[in-house]
Amino acid sequence: MAGVQTAVALREQGFTGTVTLIGAEPHQPYDRPPLSKAVLLGKAEDSAFDIDFASLGIELRLGHEATGVRPADHELDTTRGPVPYDVLVLATGAEPILLPGTGGVPGVHLLRTLDDAARLRPVLARQHDIVVVGAGWIGAEFATAAREAGCAVTVVEAADRPLAGALPAEVAAPMIRWYADSGADLRTHARVARIEPGAVVLDDGTRIPAGAVVVGIGARPATAWLTGSGIELGAHGEVVADARLRAGAPDVYAVGDCASFPSARYGERLLVHHWDNALQGPRTVAANIVEDGHTDVVYDPVPYFWSEQFGRFVQYAGHHAGADGTVWRGDPEGPAWSVCWLREGRLVALLAVGRPRDLAQGRRLIEAGATMDPALLTDPARPLKSAALTR
């Protein structure tokens, strides 16, 4: 997404030079969200972008893996030889974290690429007993698809709740019931000791039958290939970009899952592994390339993502880490509810379950830095925007 959108945005913003899009995979550029939904369940063969690259004058070099960068020479090294550049945009995304000891073990799967989805489709069709390792966003989405396909599903999570790395305990607590309601078996405080043919063995000795195992324990920026390039990498291995998404080497930018950026809005550096970041960031990169230093365009979005799981549409906007107050809208045991996070009275983040209007209004209020009336905010029957004291 980030690479494709950068190339398209360059043309939309009037860039007339050569644009080359290089990717390691052999497939036409594709969108990832459908992989855990329509593609996985056989409702679509692929999720290729409907873009006429030739008419836009964008050259595709598929099956070319980047192996290094030499900024002093303005050259990108690939498996098919060096590629000179005037401007380089790094958009290599993130790669799944592997469960130790499972590399090459038969029946163990990841879900990140089109090929991953193609390998998993027949697994679901055969209705195997499936164990999902990790109750994060991808684990929940895959468990949802597997249950829809008629598979028996057990989800094992080392933490005490689903989405432990993403949401506070009180917000994630209502989601525990979603697993049981769908017929999936969620086991928390469950650490995997090893995976054997036909079974997952937990560290307490419990054996869980598994015709297949899907690992979804997180992702890390796909940047190991930049080691030694002189391009700064952060604590999570991400490219440390500035507010204009420049990567700290001459004429190099970084965008999407592989890069962090400083947010003046939230007062900290953000590393956002979500689709919307890969859609929005390229517009900033393209503008700064086209303007060539004459106008600085700063990137400081309100992060946004969504997830479809267990019959629910979950949306999140903002960044709640620095919040000092939480306000609930609606009953979390019901089908539709929201949580608002405030900082010094201002709305900084919002999670909406089945309340898309709350999300749409909340996102705009976060962007505006609106101060909210908590008493009005708690009433789910009132439009969220009516609780704003300033607009």
Side-chain angles (χ1 to χ4, degrees):
M1 170 61 86
V4 165
Q5 291 299 324
T6 300
V8 171
L10 282 166
R11 290 301 188 222
E12 289 177 344
Q13 296 184 33
F15 184 77
T16 58
T18 299
V19 177
T20 305
L21 185 60
I22 297 173
E25 293 185 62
H27 311 291
Q28 285 287 306
Y30 61 88
D31 204 6
R32 293 192 189 278
L35 298 184
S36 61
K37 304 172 184 72
V39 175
L40 187 61
L41 291 171
K43 298 176 181 178
E45 284 305 309
D46 61 35
S47 56
F49 291 111
D50 185 17
I51 296 171
D52 188 341
F53 292 101
S55 70
L56 291 172
I58 298 169
E59 179 189 354
L60 295 182
R61 296 192 189 182
L62 306 176
H64 289 57
E65 183 177 355
T67 58
V69 181
R70 287 173 285 121
D73 299 328
H74 275 58
E75 280 196 333
L76 172 74
D77 290 320
T78 78
T79 49
R80 300 198 184 183
V83 179
Y85 64 83
D86 293 318
V87 178
L88 176 67
V89 180
L90 306 173
T92 47
E95 57 193 4
I97 296 173
L98 302 179
L99 191 65
T102 61
V105 176
V108 177
H109 300 265
L110 301 168
L111 181 52
R112 181 70 180 179
T113 68
L114 184 60
D115 289 337
D116 291 336
R119 283 188 288 267
L120 276 165
R121 229 157 68 174
V123 172
L124 296 193
R126 290 193 293 268
Q127 297 187 334
H128 278 297
D129 290 344
I130 293 177
V131 174
V132 180
V133 182
W137 300 113
I138 191 66
E141 291 185 2
F142 179 80
T144 299
R147 286 299 299 138
E148 185 176 334
C151 301
V153 178
T154 302
V155 181
V156 296
E157 169 58 53
D160 62 349
R161 62 187 188 275
L163 296 168
L167 297 174
E170 67 273 16
V171 178
M175 301 175 178
I176 294 173
R177 183 173 52 83
W178 300 357
Y179 287 80
D181 288 350
S182 75
D185 179 10
L186 172 64
R187 303 190 189 186
T188 56
H189 299 287
R191 292 187 176 275
V192 176
R194 64 185 182 278
I195 296 176
E196 299 176 349
V200 172
V201 183
L202 304 182
D203 61 1
D204 64 0
T206 301
R207 296 174 61 86
I208 304 173
V213 179
V214 177
V215 178
I217 56 175
R220 62 167 63 93
T223 56
W225 64 282
L226 291 171
T227 301
S229 67
I231 294 172
E232 181 184 358
L233 301 181
H236 302 284
E238 83 281 8
V239 178
V240 178
D242 68 9
R244 292 152 187 83
L245 298 181
R246 297 176 300 201
D251 304 312
V252 179
Y253 293 80
V255 67
D257 290 6
C258 72
S260 65
F261 56 90
S263 171
R265 184 190 309 275
Y266 291 105
E268 61 181 285
R269 179 168 286 275
L270 300 182
L271 176 60
V272 180
H273 282 185
H274 292 297
W275 182 92
D276 192 65
N277 181 49
L279 174 68
Q280 304 294 342
R283 297 168 186 166
T284 296
V285 171
N288 284 316
I289 291 173
V290 171
E291 294 296 336
D292 195 22
H294 298 297
T295 301
D296 283 336
V297 180
V298 170
Y299 187 59
D300 195 5
V302 173
Y304 166 75
F305 72 88
W306 81 96
S307 177
E308 296 176 75
Q309 51 184 270
F310 308 118
R312 293 165 175 84
F313 186 43
V314 183
Q315 296 172 284
Y316 178 96
H319 180 65
H320 67 265
D324 53 27
T326 304
V327 178
W328 292 75
R329 286 169 56 82
D331 180 4
E333 296 302 314
W337 48 276
S338 298
V339 180
C340 301
W341 284 273
L342 306 178
R343 183 175 186 177
E344 298 177 350
R346 295 183 181 275
L347 186 65
V348 294
L350 181 140
L351 175 82
V353 177
R355 292 182 64 94
R357 185 171 297 178
D358 274 7
L359 190 287
Q361 294 179 9
R363 191 176 184 182
R364 289 193 291 269
L365 291 167
I366 295 169
E367 289 173 346
T371 300
M372 311 299 291
D373 182 332
L376 298 179
L377 202 55
T378 58
D379 182 358
R382 297 180 64 101
L384 190 143
K385 63 184 179 182
S386 71
L389 299 176
T390 60
R391 290 181 172 84

